[in-house]
PDB file of all heavy atoms in Angstrom:
ATOM      1  N   GLY A  36      -3.986  36.454  -3.077  1.00  0.00           N
ATOM      2  CA  GLY A  36      -2.936  36.868  -3.985  1.00  0.00           C
ATOM      3  C   GLY A  36      -1.598  36.216  -3.707  1.00  0.00           C
ATOM      4  O   GLY A  36      -0.682  36.305  -4.527  1.00  0.00           O
ATOM      5  N   GLY A  37      -1.490  35.578  -2.564  1.00  0.00           N
ATOM      6  CA  GLY A  37      -0.250  34.934  -2.190  1.00  0.00           C
ATOM      7  C   GLY A  37      -0.078  33.574  -2.835  1.00  0.00           C
ATOM      8  O   GLY A  37      -0.912  33.120  -3.625  1.00  0.00           O
ATOM      9  N   SER A  38       1.018  32.909  -2.471  1.00  0.00           N
ATOM     10  CA  SER A  38       1.357  31.609  -3.049  1.00  0.00           C
ATOM     11  C   SER A  38       1.739  30.619  -1.952  1.00  0.00           C
ATOM     12  O   SER A  38       2.235  31.003  -0.887  1.00  0.00           O
ATOM     13  CB  SER A  38       2.539  31.745  -4.014  1.00  0.00           C
ATOM     14  OG  SER A  38       2.231  32.592  -5.103  1.00  0.00           O
ATOM     15  N   LEU A  39       1.521  29.357  -2.252  1.00  0.00           N
ATOM     16  CA  LEU A  39       1.971  28.253  -1.410  1.00  0.00           C
ATOM     17  C   LEU A  39       2.375  27.118  -2.331  1.00  0.00           C
ATOM     18  O   LEU A  39       1.828  26.980  -3.428  1.00  0.00           O
ATOM     19  CB  LEU A  39       0.865  27.769  -0.469  1.00  0.00           C
ATOM     20  CG  LEU A  39       0.528  28.612   0.760  1.00  0.00           C
ATOM     21  CD1 LEU A  39      -0.722  28.041   1.429  1.00  0.00           C
ATOM     22  CD2 LEU A  39       1.683  28.653   1.742  1.00  0.00           C
ATOM     23  N   ARG A  40       3.298  26.293  -1.848  1.00  0.00           N
ATOM     24  CA  ARG A  40       3.636  25.078  -2.577  1.00  0.00           C
ATOM     25  C   ARG A  40       3.437  23.890  -1.654  1.00  0.00           C
ATOM     26  O   ARG A  40       4.075  23.778  -0.606  1.00  0.00           O
ATOM     27  CB  ARG A  40       5.076  25.095  -3.093  1.00  0.00           C
ATOM     28  CG  ARG A  40       5.353  23.896  -4.007  1.00  0.00           C
ATOM     29  CD  ARG A  40       6.741  23.890  -4.605  1.00  0.00           C
ATOM     30  NE  ARG A  40       7.756  23.430  -3.683  1.00  0.00           N
ATOM     31  CZ  ARG A  40       8.932  22.933  -4.058  1.00  0.00           C
ATOM     32  NH1 ARG A  40       9.245  22.842  -5.331  1.00  0.00           N
ATOM     33  NH2 ARG A  40       9.815  22.568  -3.147  1.00  0.00           N
ATOM     34  N   LEU A  41       2.541  23.024  -2.067  1.00  0.00           N
ATOM     35  CA  LEU A  41       2.287  21.789  -1.333  1.00  0.00           C
ATOM     36  C   LEU A  41       3.192  20.685  -1.864  1.00  0.00           C
ATOM     37  O   LEU A  41       3.493  20.640  -3.054  1.00  0.00           O
ATOM     38  CB  LEU A  41       0.833  21.367  -1.479  1.00  0.00           C
ATOM     39  CG  LEU A  41      -0.236  22.409  -1.110  1.00  0.00           C
ATOM     40  CD1 LEU A  41      -1.626  21.788  -1.240  1.00  0.00           C
ATOM     41  CD2 LEU A  41      -0.016  22.962   0.263  1.00  0.00           C
ATOM     42  N   SER A  42       3.608  19.811  -0.940  1.00  0.00           N
ATOM     43  CA  SER A  42       4.416  18.662  -1.314  1.00  0.00           C
ATOM     44  C   SER A  42       3.733  17.388  -0.847  1.00  0.00           C
ATOM     45  O   SER A  42       3.064  17.376   0.188  1.00  0.00           O
ATOM     46  CB  SER A  42       5.804  18.742  -0.661  1.00  0.00           C
ATOM     47  OG  SER A  42       6.502  19.894  -1.078  1.00  0.00           O
ATOM     48  N   CYS A  43       3.931  16.331  -1.598  1.00  0.00           N
ATOM     49  CA  CYS A  43       3.393  15.028  -1.241  1.00  0.00           C
ATOM     50  C   CYS A  43       4.506  14.004  -1.449  1.00  0.00           C
ATOM     51  O   CYS A  43       4.897  13.742  -2.592  1.00  0.00           O
ATOM     52  CB  CYS A  43       2.193  14.686  -2.094  1.00  0.00           C
ATOM     53  SG  CYS A  43       1.575  12.998  -1.878  1.00  0.00           S
ATOM     54  N   VAL A  44       5.003  13.467  -0.350  1.00  0.00           N
ATOM     55  CA  VAL A  44       6.051  12.456  -0.428  1.00  0.00           C
ATOM     56  C   VAL A  44       5.398  11.083  -0.492  1.00  0.00           C
ATOM     57  O   VAL A  44       4.522  10.762   0.308  1.00  0.00           O
ATOM     58  CB  VAL A  44       6.997  12.552   0.776  1.00  0.00           C
ATOM     59  CG1 VAL A  44       8.044  11.447   0.705  1.00  0.00           C
ATOM     60  CG2 VAL A  44       7.683  13.911   0.814  1.00  0.00           C
ATOM     61  N   ILE A  45       5.856  10.300  -1.454  1.00  0.00           N
ATOM     62  CA  ILE A  45       5.290   8.972  -1.703  1.00  0.00           C
ATOM     63  C   ILE A  45       6.254   7.923  -1.169  1.00  0.00           C
ATOM     64  O   ILE A  45       7.426   7.896  -1.545  1.00  0.00           O
ATOM     65  CB  ILE A  45       5.104   8.752  -3.217  1.00  0.00           C
ATOM     66  CG1 ILE A  45       4.307   9.900  -3.828  1.00  0.00           C
ATOM     67  CG2 ILE A  45       4.422   7.407  -3.492  1.00  0.00           C
ATOM     68  CD1 ILE A  45       4.485  10.028  -5.326  1.00  0.00           C
ATOM     69  N   THR A  46       5.759   7.057  -0.303  1.00  0.00           N
ATOM     70  CA  THR A  46       6.604   5.990   0.217  1.00  0.00           C
ATOM     71  C   THR A  46       5.908   4.651   0.027  1.00  0.00           C
ATOM     72  O   THR A  46       4.702   4.589  -0.241  1.00  0.00           O
ATOM     73  CB  THR A  46       6.933   6.191   1.706  1.00  0.00           C
ATOM     74  OG1 THR A  46       5.713   6.212   2.449  1.00  0.00           O
ATOM     75  CG2 THR A  46       7.683   7.492   1.926  1.00  0.00           C
ATOM     76  N   LYS A  47       6.687   3.589   0.157  1.00  0.00           N
ATOM     77  CA  LYS A  47       6.193   2.217  -0.002  1.00  0.00           C
ATOM     78  C   LYS A  47       5.563   2.024  -1.372  1.00  0.00           C
ATOM     79  O   LYS A  47       4.585   1.269  -1.510  1.00  0.00           O
ATOM     80  CB  LYS A  47       5.212   1.855   1.103  1.00  0.00           C
ATOM     81  CG  LYS A  47       5.836   1.886   2.490  1.00  0.00           C
ATOM     82  CD  LYS A  47       4.897   1.344   3.532  1.00  0.00           C
ATOM     83  CE  LYS A  47       5.577   1.335   4.904  1.00  0.00           C
ATOM     84  NZ  LYS A  47       4.694   0.791   5.952  1.00  0.00           N
ATOM     85  N   SER A  48       6.103   2.666  -2.386  1.00  0.00           N
ATOM     86  CA  SER A  48       5.612   2.502  -3.740  1.00  0.00           C
ATOM     87  C   SER A  48       6.651   1.744  -4.547  1.00  0.00           C
ATOM     88  O   SER A  48       7.808   2.136  -4.590  1.00  0.00           O
ATOM     89  CB  SER A  48       5.354   3.855  -4.388  1.00  0.00           C
ATOM     90  OG  SER A  48       5.026   3.698  -5.749  1.00  0.00           O
ATOM     91  N   ARG A  49       6.234   0.670  -5.197  1.00  0.00           N
ATOM     92  CA  ARG A  49       7.141  -0.135  -5.997  1.00  0.00           C
ATOM     93  C   ARG A  49       7.237   0.356  -7.434  1.00  0.00           C
ATOM     94  O   ARG A  49       8.088  -0.105  -8.186  1.00  0.00           O
ATOM     95  CB  ARG A  49       6.692  -1.588  -5.998  1.00  0.00           C
ATOM     96  CG  ARG A  49       6.739  -2.260  -4.643  1.00  0.00           C
ATOM     97  CD  ARG A  49       6.331  -3.716  -4.736  1.00  0.00           C
ATOM     98  NE  ARG A  49       6.413  -4.379  -3.448  1.00  0.00           N
ATOM     99  CZ  ARG A  49       6.135  -5.660  -3.246  1.00  0.00           C
ATOM    100  NH1 ARG A  49       5.783  -6.410  -4.266  1.00  0.00           N
ATOM    101  NH2 ARG A  49       6.227  -6.186  -2.045  1.00  0.00           N
ATOM    102  N   SER A  50       6.367   1.275  -7.786  1.00  0.00           N
ATOM    103  CA  SER A  50       6.335   1.707  -9.178  1.00  0.00           C
ATOM    104  C   SER A  50       5.968   3.172  -9.277  1.00  0.00           C
ATOM    105  O   SER A  50       5.162   3.681  -8.500  1.00  0.00           O
ATOM    106  CB  SER A  50       5.318   0.868  -9.956  1.00  0.00           C
ATOM    107  OG  SER A  50       5.139   1.401 -11.253  1.00  0.00           O
ATOM    108  N   HIS A  51       6.569   3.853 -10.272  1.00  0.00           N
ATOM    109  CA  HIS A  51       6.167   5.227 -10.553  1.00  0.00           C
ATOM    110  C   HIS A  51       5.071   5.256 -11.617  1.00  0.00           C
ATOM    111  O   HIS A  51       4.584   6.333 -11.955  1.00  0.00           O
ATOM    112  CB  HIS A  51       7.363   6.024 -11.067  1.00  0.00           C
ATOM    113  CG  HIS A  51       8.351   6.388  -9.986  1.00  0.00           C
ATOM    114  ND1 HIS A  51       7.985   7.067  -8.847  1.00  0.00           N
ATOM    115  CD2 HIS A  51       9.676   6.179  -9.879  1.00  0.00           C
ATOM    116  CE1 HIS A  51       9.055   7.258  -8.087  1.00  0.00           C
ATOM    117  NE2 HIS A  51      10.094   6.719  -8.691  1.00  0.00           N
ATOM    118  N   THR A  52       4.711   4.071 -12.131  1.00  0.00           N
ATOM    119  CA  THR A  52       3.739   4.045 -13.218  1.00  0.00           C
ATOM    120  C   THR A  52       2.336   4.178 -12.645  1.00  0.00           C
ATOM    121  O   THR A  52       1.570   3.217 -12.594  1.00  0.00           O
ATOM    122  CB  THR A  52       3.881   2.745 -14.025  1.00  0.00           C
ATOM    123  OG1 THR A  52       5.253   2.572 -14.404  1.00  0.00           O
ATOM    124  CG2 THR A  52       3.032   2.812 -15.287  1.00  0.00           C
ATOM    125  N   ARG A  53       2.030   5.361 -12.202  1.00  0.00           N
ATOM    126  CA  ARG A  53       0.718   5.618 -11.638  1.00  0.00           C
ATOM    127  C   ARG A  53       0.415   7.104 -11.777  1.00  0.00           C
ATOM    128  O   ARG A  53       1.280   7.920 -12.025  1.00  0.00           O
ATOM    129  CB  ARG A  53       0.664   5.223 -10.161  1.00  0.00           C
ATOM    130  CG  ARG A  53       1.567   6.019  -9.267  1.00  0.00           C
ATOM    131  CD  ARG A  53       1.351   5.634  -7.794  1.00  0.00           C
ATOM    132  NE  ARG A  53       2.063   4.410  -7.445  1.00  0.00           N
ATOM    133  CZ  ARG A  53       1.481   3.256  -7.177  1.00  0.00           C
ATOM    134  NH1 ARG A  53       0.164   3.165  -7.198  1.00  0.00           N
ATOM    135  NH2 ARG A  53       2.187   2.198  -6.845  1.00  0.00           N
ATOM    136  N   TYR A  54      -0.840   7.422 -11.578  1.00  0.00           N
ATOM    137  CA  TYR A  54      -1.266   8.821 -11.570  1.00  0.00           C
ATOM    138  C   TYR A  54      -1.295   9.334 -10.128  1.00  0.00           C
ATOM    139  O   TYR A  54      -1.605   8.598  -9.188  1.00  0.00           O
ATOM    140  CB  TYR A  54      -2.655   8.967 -12.192  1.00  0.00           C
ATOM    141  CG  TYR A  54      -2.651   8.811 -13.693  1.00  0.00           C
ATOM    142  CD1 TYR A  54      -2.747   7.554 -14.284  1.00  0.00           C
ATOM    143  CD2 TYR A  54      -2.542   9.927 -14.523  1.00  0.00           C
ATOM    144  CE1 TYR A  54      -2.733   7.413 -15.671  1.00  0.00           C
ATOM    145  CE2 TYR A  54      -2.539   9.782 -15.907  1.00  0.00           C
ATOM    146  CZ  TYR A  54      -2.622   8.535 -16.468  1.00  0.00           C
ATOM    147  OH  TYR A  54      -2.608   8.399 -17.835  1.00  0.00           O
ATOM    148  N   MET A  55      -0.988  10.595  -9.991  1.00  0.00           N
ATOM    149  CA  MET A  55      -1.082  11.277  -8.707  1.00  0.00           C
ATOM    150  C   MET A  55      -2.011  12.474  -8.857  1.00  0.00           C
ATOM    151  O   MET A  55      -1.965  13.182  -9.863  1.00  0.00           O
ATOM    152  CB  MET A  55       0.296  11.772  -8.255  1.00  0.00           C
ATOM    153  CG  MET A  55       1.312  10.661  -8.027  1.00  0.00           C
ATOM    154  SD  MET A  55       0.830   9.544  -6.710  1.00  0.00           S
ATOM    155  CE  MET A  55       0.795  10.670  -5.305  1.00  0.00           C
ATOM    156  N   GLY A  56      -2.839  12.652  -7.860  1.00  0.00           N
ATOM    157  CA  GLY A  56      -3.791  13.748  -7.923  1.00  0.00           C
ATOM    158  C   GLY A  56      -3.784  14.573  -6.652  1.00  0.00           C
ATOM    159  O   GLY A  56      -3.405  14.084  -5.577  1.00  0.00           O
ATOM    160  N   TRP A  57      -4.175  15.799  -6.799  1.00  0.00           N
ATOM    161  CA  TRP A  57      -4.437  16.678  -5.661  1.00  0.00           C
ATOM    162  C   TRP A  57      -5.930  16.972  -5.623  1.00  0.00           C
ATOM    163  O   TRP A  57      -6.520  17.320  -6.636  1.00  0.00           O
ATOM    164  CB  TRP A  57      -3.664  17.987  -5.783  1.00  0.00           C
ATOM    165  CG  TRP A  57      -2.210  17.883  -5.465  1.00  0.00           C
ATOM    166  CD1 TRP A  57      -1.177  17.768  -6.355  1.00  0.00           C
ATOM    167  CD2 TRP A  57      -1.625  17.884  -4.158  1.00  0.00           C
ATOM    168  NE1 TRP A  57       0.008  17.683  -5.664  1.00  0.00           N
ATOM    169  CE2 TRP A  57      -0.230  17.775  -4.325  1.00  0.00           C
ATOM    170  CE3 TRP A  57      -2.131  17.976  -2.860  1.00  0.00           C
ATOM    171  CZ2 TRP A  57       0.655  17.749  -3.245  1.00  0.00           C
ATOM    172  CZ3 TRP A  57      -1.260  17.955  -1.799  1.00  0.00           C
ATOM    173  CH2 TRP A  57       0.122  17.839  -1.999  1.00  0.00           C
ATOM    174  N   PHE A  58      -6.491  16.822  -4.435  1.00  0.00           N
ATOM    175  CA  PHE A  58      -7.902  17.095  -4.217  1.00  0.00           C
ATOM    176  C   PHE A  58      -8.037  18.073  -3.056  1.00  0.00           C
ATOM    177  O   PHE A  58      -7.101  18.263  -2.287  1.00  0.00           O
ATOM    178  CB  PHE A  58      -8.643  15.786  -3.869  1.00  0.00           C
ATOM    179  CG  PHE A  58      -8.785  14.851  -5.027  1.00  0.00           C
ATOM    180  CD1 PHE A  58      -7.710  14.110  -5.497  1.00  0.00           C
ATOM    181  CD2 PHE A  58     -10.006  14.717  -5.669  1.00  0.00           C
ATOM    182  CE1 PHE A  58      -7.835  13.257  -6.578  1.00  0.00           C
ATOM    183  CE2 PHE A  58     -10.148  13.859  -6.754  1.00  0.00           C
ATOM    184  CZ  PHE A  58      -9.061  13.134  -7.207  1.00  0.00           C
ATOM    185  N   ARG A  59      -9.199  18.663  -2.942  1.00  0.00           N
ATOM    186  CA  ARG A  59      -9.430  19.543  -1.804  1.00  0.00           C
ATOM    187  C   ARG A  59     -10.872  19.417  -1.339  1.00  0.00           C
ATOM    188  O   ARG A  59     -11.754  19.057  -2.113  1.00  0.00           O
ATOM    189  CB  ARG A  59      -9.123  20.999  -2.150  1.00  0.00           C
ATOM    190  CG  ARG A  59     -10.029  21.621  -3.199  1.00  0.00           C
ATOM    191  CD  ARG A  59      -9.511  23.006  -3.564  1.00  0.00           C
ATOM    192  NE  ARG A  59     -10.372  23.674  -4.527  1.00  0.00           N
ATOM    193  CZ  ARG A  59     -10.101  24.839  -5.100  1.00  0.00           C
ATOM    194  NH1 ARG A  59      -8.959  25.468  -4.807  1.00  0.00           N
ATOM    195  NH2 ARG A  59     -10.934  25.380  -5.963  1.00  0.00           N
ATOM    196  N   GLN A  60     -11.064  19.719  -0.076  1.00  0.00           N
ATOM    197  CA  GLN A  60     -12.402  19.679   0.489  1.00  0.00           C
ATOM    198  C   GLN A  60     -12.561  20.811   1.484  1.00  0.00           C
ATOM    199  O   GLN A  60     -11.821  20.889   2.472  1.00  0.00           O
ATOM    200  CB  GLN A  60     -12.684  18.340   1.170  1.00  0.00           C
ATOM    201  CG  GLN A  60     -14.119  18.187   1.606  1.00  0.00           C
ATOM    202  CD  GLN A  60     -14.460  16.765   1.989  1.00  0.00           C
ATOM    203  OE1 GLN A  60     -13.600  15.956   2.318  1.00  0.00           O
ATOM    204  NE2 GLN A  60     -15.746  16.435   1.944  1.00  0.00           N
ATOM    205  N   ALA A  61     -13.498  21.681   1.186  1.00  0.00           N
ATOM    206  CA  ALA A  61     -13.829  22.784   2.070  1.00  0.00           C
ATOM    207  C   ALA A  61     -14.960  22.345   3.002  1.00  0.00           C
ATOM    208  O   ALA A  61     -15.730  21.447   2.660  1.00  0.00           O
ATOM    209  CB  ALA A  61     -14.242  24.000   1.260  1.00  0.00           C
ATOM    210  N   PRO A  62     -15.076  22.968   4.172  1.00  0.00           N
ATOM    211  CA  PRO A  62     -16.142  22.597   5.095  1.00  0.00           C
ATOM    212  C   PRO A  62     -17.518  22.685   4.438  1.00  0.00           C
ATOM    213  O   PRO A  62     -17.843  23.691   3.796  1.00  0.00           O
ATOM    214  CB  PRO A  62     -16.002  23.633   6.221  1.00  0.00           C
ATOM    215  CG  PRO A  62     -14.570  24.028   6.178  1.00  0.00           C
ATOM    216  CD  PRO A  62     -14.194  24.009   4.717  1.00  0.00           C
ATOM    217  N   GLY A  63     -18.288  21.637   4.592  1.00  0.00           N
ATOM    218  CA  GLY A  63     -19.629  21.628   4.056  1.00  0.00           C
ATOM    219  C   GLY A  63     -19.730  21.380   2.564  1.00  0.00           C
ATOM    220  O   GLY A  63     -20.826  21.431   1.990  1.00  0.00           O
ATOM    221  N   LYS A  64     -18.586  21.111   1.922  1.00  0.00           N
ATOM    222  CA  LYS A  64     -18.582  20.882   0.479  1.00  0.00           C
ATOM    223  C   LYS A  64     -18.023  19.507   0.158  1.00  0.00           C
ATOM    224  O   LYS A  64     -17.319  18.900   0.960  1.00  0.00           O
ATOM    225  CB  LYS A  64     -17.771  21.965  -0.234  1.00  0.00           C
ATOM    226  CG  LYS A  64     -18.361  23.358  -0.119  1.00  0.00           C
ATOM    227  CD  LYS A  64     -17.607  24.344  -1.000  1.00  0.00           C
ATOM    228  CE  LYS A  64     -18.244  25.714  -0.947  1.00  0.00           C
ATOM    229  NZ  LYS A  64     -17.528  26.691  -1.818  1.00  0.00           N
ATOM    230  N   GLU A  65     -18.341  19.030  -1.022  1.00  0.00           N
ATOM    231  CA  GLU A  65     -17.802  17.758  -1.469  1.00  0.00           C
ATOM    232  C   GLU A  65     -16.335  17.919  -1.866  1.00  0.00           C
ATOM    233  O   GLU A  65     -15.883  18.988  -2.243  1.00  0.00           O
ATOM    234  CB  GLU A  65     -18.615  17.231  -2.663  1.00  0.00           C
ATOM    235  CG  GLU A  65     -20.032  16.855  -2.325  1.00  0.00           C
ATOM    236  CD  GLU A  65     -20.736  16.175  -3.492  1.00  0.00           C
ATOM    237  OE1 GLU A  65     -20.151  16.092  -4.576  1.00  0.00           O
ATOM    238  OE2 GLU A  65     -21.880  15.721  -3.281  1.00  0.00           O
ATOM    239  N   ARG A  66     -15.624  16.808  -1.784  1.00  0.00           N
ATOM    240  CA  ARG A  66     -14.237  16.812  -2.228  1.00  0.00           C
ATOM    241  C   ARG A  66     -14.184  16.995  -3.733  1.00  0.00           C
ATOM    242  O   ARG A  66     -14.989  16.395  -4.467  1.00  0.00           O
ATOM    243  CB  ARG A  66     -13.563  15.505  -1.825  1.00  0.00           C
ATOM    244  CG  ARG A  66     -12.083  15.431  -2.135  1.00  0.00           C
ATOM    245  CD  ARG A  66     -11.438  14.288  -1.377  1.00  0.00           C
ATOM    246  NE  ARG A  66     -12.053  13.012  -1.670  1.00  0.00           N
ATOM    247  CZ  ARG A  66     -11.794  11.895  -0.990  1.00  0.00           C
ATOM    248  NH1 ARG A  66     -10.941  11.916   0.029  1.00  0.00           N
ATOM    249  NH2 ARG A  66     -12.391  10.754  -1.309  1.00  0.00           N
ATOM    250  N   GLU A  67     -13.258  17.818  -4.192  1.00  0.00           N
ATOM    251  CA  GLU A  67     -13.141  18.063  -5.627  1.00  0.00           C
ATOM    252  C   GLU A  67     -11.704  17.855  -6.081  1.00  0.00           C
ATOM    253  O   GLU A  67     -10.747  18.145  -5.348  1.00  0.00           O
ATOM    254  CB  GLU A  67     -13.601  19.480  -5.995  1.00  0.00           C
ATOM    255  CG  GLU A  67     -12.741  20.591  -5.412  1.00  0.00           C
ATOM    256  CD  GLU A  67     -13.054  21.955  -6.012  1.00  0.00           C
ATOM    257  OE1 GLU A  67     -13.539  22.027  -7.158  1.00  0.00           O
ATOM    258  OE2 GLU A  67     -12.785  22.957  -5.325  1.00  0.00           O
ATOM    259  N   GLY A  68     -11.568  17.352  -7.286  1.00  0.00           N
ATOM    260  CA  GLY A  68     -10.249  17.187  -7.883  1.00  0.00           C
ATOM    261  C   GLY A  68      -9.700  18.527  -8.327  1.00  0.00           C
ATOM    262  O   GLY A  68     -10.430  19.351  -8.897  1.00  0.00           O
ATOM    263  N   VAL A  69      -8.428  18.755  -8.074  1.00  0.00           N
ATOM    264  CA  VAL A  69      -7.785  20.024  -8.404  1.00  0.00           C
ATOM    265  C   VAL A  69      -6.814  19.854  -9.566  1.00  0.00           C
ATOM    266  O   VAL A  69      -6.843  20.634 -10.515  1.00  0.00           O
ATOM    267  CB  VAL A  69      -7.038  20.564  -7.173  1.00  0.00           C
ATOM    268  CG1 VAL A  69      -6.239  21.817  -7.546  1.00  0.00           C
ATOM    269  CG2 VAL A  69      -8.011  20.858  -6.039  1.00  0.00           C
ATOM    270  N   ALA A  70      -5.954  18.848  -9.482  1.00  0.00           N
ATOM    271  CA  ALA A  70      -4.940  18.644 -10.525  1.00  0.00           C
ATOM    272  C   ALA A  70      -4.438  17.208 -10.456  1.00  0.00           C
ATOM    273  O   ALA A  70      -4.508  16.565  -9.399  1.00  0.00           O
ATOM    274  CB  ALA A  70      -3.773  19.608 -10.362  1.00  0.00           C
ATOM    275  N   ALA A  71      -3.926  16.723 -11.574  1.00  0.00           N
ATOM    276  CA  ALA A  71      -3.408  15.357 -11.611  1.00  0.00           C
ATOM    277  C   ALA A  71      -2.364  15.237 -12.709  1.00  0.00           C
ATOM    278  O   ALA A  71      -2.380  16.011 -13.684  1.00  0.00           O
ATOM    279  CB  ALA A  71      -4.539  14.358 -11.859  1.00  0.00           C
ATOM    280  N   LEU A  72      -1.468  14.279 -12.525  1.00  0.00           N
ATOM    281  CA  LEU A  72      -0.508  13.970 -13.577  1.00  0.00           C
ATOM    282  C   LEU A  72      -0.046  12.523 -13.438  1.00  0.00           C
ATOM    283  O   LEU A  72      -0.327  11.859 -12.444  1.00  0.00           O
ATOM    284  CB  LEU A  72       0.693  14.908 -13.528  1.00  0.00           C
ATOM    285  CG  LEU A  72       1.586  15.061 -12.300  1.00  0.00           C
ATOM    286  CD1 LEU A  72       2.198  13.799 -11.785  1.00  0.00           C
ATOM    287  CD2 LEU A  72       2.664  16.113 -12.550  1.00  0.00           C
ATOM    288  N   HIS A  73       0.659  12.050 -14.478  1.00  0.00           N
ATOM    289  CA  HIS A  73       1.240  10.717 -14.435  1.00  0.00           C
ATOM    290  C   HIS A  73       2.694  10.860 -14.009  1.00  0.00           C
ATOM    291  O   HIS A  73       3.405  11.724 -14.516  1.00  0.00           O
ATOM    292  CB  HIS A  73       1.156  10.055 -15.813  1.00  0.00           C
ATOM    293  CG  HIS A  73       1.454   8.599 -15.772  1.00  0.00           C
ATOM    294  ND1 HIS A  73       2.737   8.111 -15.862  1.00  0.00           N
ATOM    295  CD2 HIS A  73       0.637   7.519 -15.643  1.00  0.00           C
ATOM    296  CE1 HIS A  73       2.706   6.784 -15.793  1.00  0.00           C
ATOM    297  NE2 HIS A  73       1.441   6.409 -15.663  1.00  0.00           N
ATOM    298  N   MET A  74       3.127  10.021 -13.116  1.00  0.00           N
ATOM    299  CA  MET A  74       4.473  10.160 -12.570  1.00  0.00           C
ATOM    300  C   MET A  74       5.565   9.921 -13.612  1.00  0.00           C
ATOM    301  O   MET A  74       6.658  10.460 -13.500  1.00  0.00           O
ATOM    302  CB  MET A  74       4.680   9.201 -11.395  1.00  0.00           C
ATOM    303  CG  MET A  74       3.919   9.585 -10.143  1.00  0.00           C
ATOM    304  SD  MET A  74       4.435  11.193  -9.470  1.00  0.00           S
ATOM    305  CE  MET A  74       6.023  10.741  -8.737  1.00  0.00           C
ATOM    306  N   ILE A  75       5.304   9.135 -14.644  1.00  0.00           N
ATOM    307  CA  ILE A  75       6.295   8.902 -15.692  1.00  0.00           C
ATOM    308  C   ILE A  75       6.025   9.790 -16.895  1.00  0.00           C
ATOM    309  O   ILE A  75       6.910  10.460 -17.407  1.00  0.00           O
ATOM    310  CB  ILE A  75       6.299   7.436 -16.138  1.00  0.00           C
ATOM    311  CG1 ILE A  75       6.633   6.523 -14.958  1.00  0.00           C
ATOM    312  CG2 ILE A  75       7.289   7.226 -17.287  1.00  0.00           C
ATOM    313  CD1 ILE A  75       8.011   6.720 -14.392  1.00  0.00           C
TER     314      ILE A  75
END
Side-chain angles (χ1 to χ4, degrees):
S38 298
L39 284 172
R40 187 177 79 158
L41 306 183
S42 299
C43 173
V44 177
I45 307 160
T46 60
K47 298 188 178 181
S48 173
R49 296 182 178 181
S50 172
H51 285 305
T52 309
R53 64 175 81 250
Y54 286 86
M55 298 297 298
W57 284 99
F58 289 75
R59 65 187 182 186
Q60 188 167 22
K64 295 188 177 181
E65 293 187 355
R66 185 165 57 190
E67 65 169 334
V69 174
L72 58 56
H73 193 273
M74 289 298 285
I75 300 296

